[in-house]
Amino acid sequence: MAKDVVGRAGAPPPQASEDADERILKAAGKLFREKGFAATTVREIAAAASMLPGSLHYRYASKDDVLIALMKRAVLRAMGAVELAIATVTDPVERVRVGLRTHLELLCSGDDSLYVLLFDWRSLEPSARAGLERERGRYETFWDGLLLGAHATGQGRPVLDLELVRHFGFGAINWVATWYRPDGERTPAQIADTFFSYLAFGLLHESARPADLDPHFAALMAAATPSRS
Amino acid sequence: MAKDVVGRAGAPPPQASEDADERILKAAGKLFREKGFAATTVREIAAAASMLPGSLHYRYASKDDVLIALMKRAVLRAMGAVELAIATVTDPVERVRVGLRTHLELLCSGDDSLYVLLFDWRSLEPSARAGLERERGRYETFWDGLLLGAHATGQGRPVLDLELVRHFGFGAINWVATWYRPDGERTPAQIADTFFSYLAFGLLHESARPADLDPHFAALMAAATPSRS
DNA sequence: TGGTTATTTGGTCGCATGGCCAAGGACGTG
DNA sequence: CACGTCCTTGGCCATGCGACCAAATAACCA
């Protein structure tokens, strides 16, 4: 049986249902983040959501279903938040900066779903993984669009591999979740903007940069051939 | 009686012990990486190491002990590999590039211990975590030394927060482990060198860069104050 | 109000787990 | 050949798991 029938008319009780669902996902997110999916029991989730295990089972047939629902919500929230944040920004490079900041703010907020999506990937069984990978792929494609737009302004170096750039930026930003502490001295927005400046301008000083960059870059690439370290 | 059943290929008994330990850690690393610590059973580790569960228990009293040993080995191997690789490199900036490359090559190699150290952090109970954090802190301090050396050459932008730089670089590099595939079209060395060029020179083209960078950078930092989202 | 459906309760079930161990080799040494 | 040590064997056990459900209850409708 499913809750599809619930969508009657504008009834007040669905609020309670939504609330119970929300409580489950919030509790599960917190526990999954702290201990990982496999180390968390359904009894713990139920207790944290102030209900009995059977009640949880009524809404999610299995523990995997909870994880899948949580991850799907994470993709939705991330895309929604970033889309909303950049809606009023027109400059393509600035859109990347704002998007990065929004992504990190969500990751560092009390919403643990994005963290679980990023770091509990291995807990999904292959069948469910495929579905989630499609969802997650949408978010990555969305970001590729942002990067392409920024690159199309001509402000970027011409030889960039945008897929590699996305991996690079996602790595730097997502890794923040492993060391960020809310009581630290830097806000997520400050971290994101600092990282954006690193990304955009690099770490070396102007004077240390050769007038013509590309040859140096090409030399680095040549040195990276798999011949030998 | 069998006269020399064991006399296979000159493998004395003491070596066999080391071998068994090695087999356990290698099998455990592979399984922990694939499914995570909590989702892996000691029986699976034993089977993958071609021994019975009791034999594994003889060497490691508990599953946690296996994880701790694996992680300690990861720190040792990472520091050892990077130190060896940069031993003959004198230029401080180049030392960073080579170190980054070595770290990534280890992360993408068949040795799963570094991956487990980075991504199965939550599985440690608090007591063991403290010990490991000291070990891991040594590796981070070691990297801070590399970064400080590179920055001291004057080639770097003067206002850099080196701790943030380390987090930034570690994030980008470590995240590679989540998407790298050995049959991909890029080698770890190529990825590392490309990422180093991003780190050093940034993604924007020369002409897109203001002649005097710092004001722009300062403006970004000002915009990142927690006053407004 | 009474009938119907949505939700919660408080358990039970079969099972796999981590930890453990007594008995028995294998093996170099006396 | 007997000895003592190192290591493996194969299975045992209490625990706690995920999944499940029949019955009780709450919320809504006509």
XYZ file of all heavy atoms in Angstrom, chain B residues 40-96:
426
model
N 30.982 -4.784 5.807
C 31.868 -5.913 5.540
C 31.921 -6.818 6.763
O 32.008 -6.340 7.888
C 33.278 -5.402 5.205
O 33.215 -4.500 4.102
C 34.190 -6.562 4.857
N 31.853 -8.120 6.552
C 31.911 -9.070 7.670
C 33.308 -9.678 7.767
O 34.029 -9.752 6.772
C 30.896 -10.201 7.496
O 31.343 -11.075 6.460
C 29.522 -9.649 7.136
N 33.640 -10.084 8.972
C 34.960 -10.692 9.147
C 35.071 -11.983 8.346
O 36.153 -12.353 7.901
C 35.244 -10.978 10.634
C 35.460 -9.703 11.405
C 34.152 -11.793 11.248
N 33.963 -12.653 8.172
C 33.993 -13.885 7.373
C 34.377 -13.593 5.930
O 35.141 -14.349 5.314
C 32.627 -14.558 7.425
C 32.253 -15.055 8.810
C 30.919 -15.800 8.781
N 30.042 -15.383 9.869
C 30.189 -15.772 11.125
N 31.148 -16.583 11.460
N 29.356 -15.348 12.057
N 33.869 -12.491 5.411
C 34.221 -12.114 4.034
C 35.709 -11.803 3.923
O 36.369 -12.219 2.965
C 33.407 -10.883 3.606
C 31.953 -11.176 3.286
C 31.171 -9.891 3.032
O 31.551 -8.838 3.577
O 30.178 -9.947 2.306
N 36.215 -11.078 4.911
C 37.642 -10.749 4.874
C 38.463 -12.023 4.909
O 39.396 -12.208 4.122
C 38.023 -9.843 6.060
C 37.195 -8.557 6.041
C 39.501 -9.527 6.042
C 37.376 -7.694 7.276
N 38.095 -12.920 5.832
C 38.848 -14.174 5.967
C 38.807 -14.965 4.662
O 39.829 -15.447 4.179
C 38.277 -14.993 7.121
N 37.614 -15.063 4.084
C 37.493 -15.824 2.841
C 38.340 -15.191 1.744
O 39.014 -15.901 0.981
C 36.019 -15.896 2.422
N 38.301 -13.856 1.648
C 39.074 -13.176 0.613
C 40.569 -13.342 0.849
O 41.366 -13.253 -0.086
C 38.705 -11.698 0.566
N 40.945 -13.561 2.107
C 42.359 -13.753 2.421
C 42.715 -15.242 2.452
O 43.808 -15.610 2.889
C 42.692 -13.102 3.760
N 41.775 -16.069 2.012
C 42.010 -17.521 1.927
C 42.359 -18.119 3.291
O 43.344 -18.835 3.431
C 43.125 -17.838 0.927
O 42.850 -17.282 -0.324
N 41.544 -17.785 4.266
C 41.739 -18.419 5.566
C 40.393 -18.476 6.282
O 39.407 -17.902 5.806
C 42.752 -17.646 6.402
C 42.329 -16.235 6.760
S 43.586 -15.349 7.705
C 44.943 -15.270 6.563
N 40.366 -19.170 7.403
C 39.111 -19.284 8.139
C 38.997 -18.134 9.143
O 40.001 -17.534 9.534
C 39.065 -20.633 8.863
C 38.969 -21.828 7.909
C 38.978 -23.121 8.680
C 37.730 -21.730 7.050
N 37.753 -17.822 9.529
C 37.551 -16.677 10.434
C 38.397 -16.755 11.694
O 38.920 -15.738 12.175
C 36.062 -16.773 10.763
C 35.465 -17.472 9.607
C 36.487 -18.442 9.107
N 38.558 -17.942 12.217
C 39.345 -18.087 13.426
C 40.789 -17.686 13.237
O 41.425 -17.111 14.136
N 41.330 -17.972 12.066
C 42.725 -17.610 11.794
C 42.891 -16.103 11.788
O 43.899 -15.569 12.267
C 43.140 -18.194 10.445
O 42.970 -19.591 10.453
N 41.902 -15.419 11.242
C 41.970 -13.962 11.244
C 41.943 -13.446 12.683
O 42.690 -12.534 13.038
C 40.792 -13.406 10.444
C 40.860 -11.946 10.036
C 40.038 -11.707 8.787
C 40.391 -11.029 11.128
N 41.108 -14.086 13.483
C 40.989 -13.650 14.879
C 42.302 -13.843 15.635
O 42.595 -13.112 16.589
C 39.870 -14.433 15.562
C 39.666 -14.040 16.989
N 39.112 -12.834 17.355
C 39.944 -14.681 18.139
C 39.054 -12.762 18.674
N 39.553 -13.871 19.173
N 43.091 -14.808 15.186
C 44.366 -15.047 15.858
C 45.294 -13.852 15.692
O 46.093 -13.525 16.572
C 45.012 -16.309 15.274
C 46.388 -16.582 15.790
C 46.582 -17.099 17.055
C 47.502 -16.303 15.004
C 47.856 -17.348 17.539
C 48.777 -16.543 15.482
C 48.951 -17.063 16.743
O 50.213 -17.305 17.227
N 45.193 -13.167 14.576
C 46.090 -12.040 14.299
C 45.484 -10.699 14.702
O 46.202 -9.795 15.115
C 46.449 -12.006 12.815
C 47.270 -13.200 12.409
C 47.422 -13.319 10.917
N 47.956 -14.621 10.588
C 49.247 -14.933 10.710
N 50.100 -14.027 11.129
N 49.664 -16.145 10.408
N 44.184 -10.564 14.533
C 43.527 -9.315 14.928
C 42.341 -9.665 15.827
O 41.431 -10.385 15.413
C 43.048 -8.548 13.695
C 44.183 -8.099 12.805
C 44.552 -8.852 11.697
C 44.889 -6.939 13.081
C 45.592 -8.445 10.877
C 45.933 -6.527 12.273
C 46.271 -7.276 11.172
O 47.305 -6.880 10.368
N 42.370 -9.174 17.033
C 41.362 -9.567 18.014
C 39.972 -9.116 17.608
O 38.978 -9.730 17.980
C 41.719 -8.987 19.381
N 39.869 -8.050 16.846
C 38.553 -7.559 16.472
C 38.607 -6.935 15.081
O 39.676 -6.683 14.530
C 38.064 -6.516 17.472
O 38.795 -5.325 17.323
N 37.432 -6.702 14.537
C 37.355 -6.085 13.217
C 37.933 -4.670 13.264
O 38.597 -4.239 12.325
C 35.891 -6.065 12.747
C 35.738 -5.869 11.256
C 34.307 -6.107 10.781
C 33.437 -4.920 11.080
N 32.189 -4.926 10.260
N 37.684 -3.972 14.365
C 38.228 -2.616 14.491
C 39.757 -2.628 14.397
O 40.348 -1.720 13.801
C 37.800 -2.012 15.839
C 36.309 -1.792 15.910
O 35.574 -2.787 16.076
O 35.876 -0.658 15.772
N 40.378 -3.644 14.987
C 41.834 -3.705 14.941
C 42.339 -3.782 13.506
O 43.383 -3.210 13.173
C 42.334 -4.923 15.737
C 42.238 -4.684 17.237
O 41.893 -3.561 17.620
O 42.513 -5.623 18.002
N 41.603 -4.491 12.672
C 41.998 -4.574 11.269
C 41.944 -3.190 10.630
O 42.875 -2.761 9.936
C 41.078 -5.544 10.503
C 41.449 -5.578 9.028
C 41.164 -6.935 11.103
N 40.860 -2.478 10.900
C 40.720 -1.138 10.323
C 41.820 -0.209 10.807
O 42.421 0.536 10.018
C 39.342 -0.564 10.687
C 39.053 0.844 10.183
C 39.072 0.886 8.662
C 37.716 1.353 10.701
N 42.116 -0.271 12.093
C 43.145 0.617 12.641
C 44.497 0.305 12.022
O 45.234 1.210 11.608
C 43.183 0.476 14.175
C 41.892 1.024 14.778
C 44.391 1.183 14.746
C 41.718 0.710 16.246
N 44.820 -0.976 11.939
C 46.104 -1.346 11.338
C 46.175 -0.876 9.900
O 47.210 -0.367 9.438
C 46.279 -2.868 11.412
N 45.064 -1.013 9.198
C 45.036 -0.603 7.792
C 45.257 0.895 7.654
O 46.011 1.364 6.788
C 43.688 -1.005 7.189
C 43.541 -0.902 5.676
C 44.449 -1.908 4.999
C 42.106 -1.129 5.257
N 44.632 1.649 8.532
C 44.745 3.098 8.429
C 46.133 3.577 8.833
O 46.686 4.488 8.218
C 43.682 3.759 9.320
C 42.282 3.636 8.738
S 41.074 4.573 9.720
C 39.659 4.579 8.606
N 46.698 2.955 9.867
C 48.052 3.342 10.253
C 49.023 3.076 9.106
O 49.901 3.880 8.822
C 48.484 2.556 11.492
C 47.924 3.131 12.775
C 48.583 2.526 14.002
C 48.050 3.216 15.259
N 48.335 2.435 16.478
N 48.815 1.954 8.446
C 49.676 1.635 7.313
C 49.502 2.662 6.193
O 50.449 3.012 5.482
C 49.360 0.228 6.799
C 50.453 -0.356 5.971
C 50.115 -1.729 5.455
N 49.004 -1.723 4.516
C 48.751 -2.703 3.677
N 49.527 -3.786 3.686
N 47.730 -2.646 2.859
N 48.263 3.145 6.037
C 48.002 4.116 4.974
C 48.796 5.392 5.194
O 49.431 5.917 4.271
C 46.515 4.416 4.903
N 48.780 5.890 6.435
C 49.534 7.114 6.722
C 51.007 6.888 6.462
O 51.692 7.699 5.814
C 49.311 7.555 8.186
C 50.150 8.776 8.493
C 47.848 7.847 8.435
N 51.519 5.746 6.950
C 52.926 5.437 6.758
C 53.291 5.379 5.278
O 54.298 5.948 4.846
C 53.236 4.084 7.421
C 54.195 4.130 8.592
C 53.639 4.996 9.700
C 54.491 2.725 9.116
N 52.458 4.690 4.512
C 52.767 4.539 3.091
C 52.713 5.872 2.361
O 53.544 6.162 1.507
C 51.780 3.564 2.460
C 52.012 2.141 2.888
C 51.435 1.180 1.886
N 51.816 -0.182 2.242
C 51.389 -1.260 1.606
N 50.555 -1.124 0.584
N 51.786 -2.462 1.976
N 51.695 6.678 2.697
C 51.556 7.961 2.003
C 52.751 8.854 2.290
O 53.387 9.392 1.371
C 50.257 8.632 2.433
N 53.078 8.991 3.566
C 54.216 9.846 3.898
C 55.493 9.291 3.295
O 56.308 10.040 2.732
C 54.357 9.970 5.413
C 53.494 11.054 5.998
S 54.046 11.568 7.634
C 55.646 12.241 7.262
N 55.670 7.987 3.389
C 56.884 7.376 2.841
C 57.003 7.611 1.351
O 58.076 7.985 0.847
N 55.906 7.402 0.645
C 55.954 7.543 -0.812
C 56.256 8.976 -1.216
O 57.089 9.224 -2.093
C 54.619 7.090 -1.409
N 55.591 9.933 -0.557
C 55.800 11.333 -0.941
C 57.214 11.765 -0.564
O 57.915 12.425 -1.350
C 54.747 12.231 -0.278
C 55.052 13.685 -0.561
C 53.348 11.874 -0.784
N 57.657 11.382 0.618
C 59.014 11.769 1.028
C 60.061 11.215 0.070
O 60.999 11.907 -0.311
C 59.287 11.279 2.454
C 58.839 12.261 3.521
C 59.060 11.722 4.928
O 59.161 10.483 5.095
O 59.108 12.533 5.871
N 59.858 9.980 -0.326
C 60.806 9.370 -1.263
C 60.797 10.100 -2.596
O 61.845 10.377 -3.192
C 60.435 7.894 -1.462
C 61.330 7.120 -2.428
C 62.734 6.993 -1.844
C 60.755 5.738 -2.717
N 59.593 10.451 -3.051
C 59.470 11.047 -4.378
C 60.100 12.432 -4.446
O 60.660 12.822 -5.475
C 57.998 11.110 -4.787
N 59.996 13.188 -3.347
C 60.501 14.560 -3.397
C 61.929 14.670 -2.880
O 62.486 15.771 -2.835
C 59.606 15.514 -2.578
C 59.688 15.178 -1.086
C 58.161 15.467 -3.065
C 58.997 16.191 -0.217
N 62.512 13.530 -2.505
C 63.845 13.579 -1.883
C 64.860 14.242 -2.805
O 65.743 14.961 -2.343
C 64.293 12.170 -1.517
N 64.728 14.011 -4.091
C 65.741 14.521 -5.027
C 65.311 15.818 -5.694
O 66.000 16.304 -6.589
C 66.022 13.467 -6.113
O 64.802 13.219 -6.818
C 66.523 12.176 -5.479
N 64.153 16.344 -5.280
C 63.653 17.579 -5.905
C 63.991 18.746 -4.987
O 63.688 18.709 -3.797
C 62.137 17.494 -6.137
C 61.643 18.754 -6.824
C 61.790 16.253 -6.937
N 64.596 19.752 -5.552
C 65.022 20.882 -4.717
C 64.082 22.078 -4.822
O 63.838 22.754 -3.833
C 66.438 21.339 -5.111
O 66.450 21.620 -6.515
C 67.459 20.265 -4.786
N 63.564 22.350 -6.012
C 62.690 23.519 -6.174
C 61.421 23.344 -5.353
O 60.689 22.359 -5.510
C 62.316 23.697 -7.648
C 61.375 24.876 -7.838
O 61.790 26.003 -7.559
O 60.212 24.648 -8.221
N 61.130 24.265 -4.435
C 60.011 24.107 -3.505
C 58.652 23.976 -4.188
O 57.792 23.226 -3.721
C 60.073 25.387 -2.664
C 61.486 25.835 -2.753
C 61.934 25.466 -4.128
N 58.432 24.714 -5.259
C 57.154 24.602 -5.963
C 57.057 23.250 -6.656
O 56.009 22.594 -6.648
C 56.994 25.757 -6.977
C 55.732 25.569 -7.797
C 56.959 27.095 -6.238
N 58.160 22.839 -7.234
C 58.178 21.552 -7.912
C 57.949 20.405 -6.921
O 57.328 19.398 -7.260
C 59.520 21.370 -8.641
C 59.694 20.050 -9.374
C 58.819 19.943 -10.612
O 58.092 20.924 -10.911
O 58.829 18.873 -11.249
N 58.437 20.586 -5.701
C 58.212 19.553 -4.681
C 56.726 19.360 -4.432
O 56.239 18.234 -4.235
C 58.914 19.950 -3.373
C 60.414 19.709 -3.403
C 61.128 20.492 -2.302
N 60.903 19.951 -0.973
C 61.684 19.021 -0.412
N 62.701 18.530 -1.084
N 61.439 18.600 0.810
N 55.979 20.459 -4.442
C 54.528 20.352 -4.254
C 53.904 19.578 -5.407
O 53.063 18.690 -5.213
C 53.903 21.751 -4.133
C 52.386 21.654 -4.162
C 54.367 22.424 -2.844
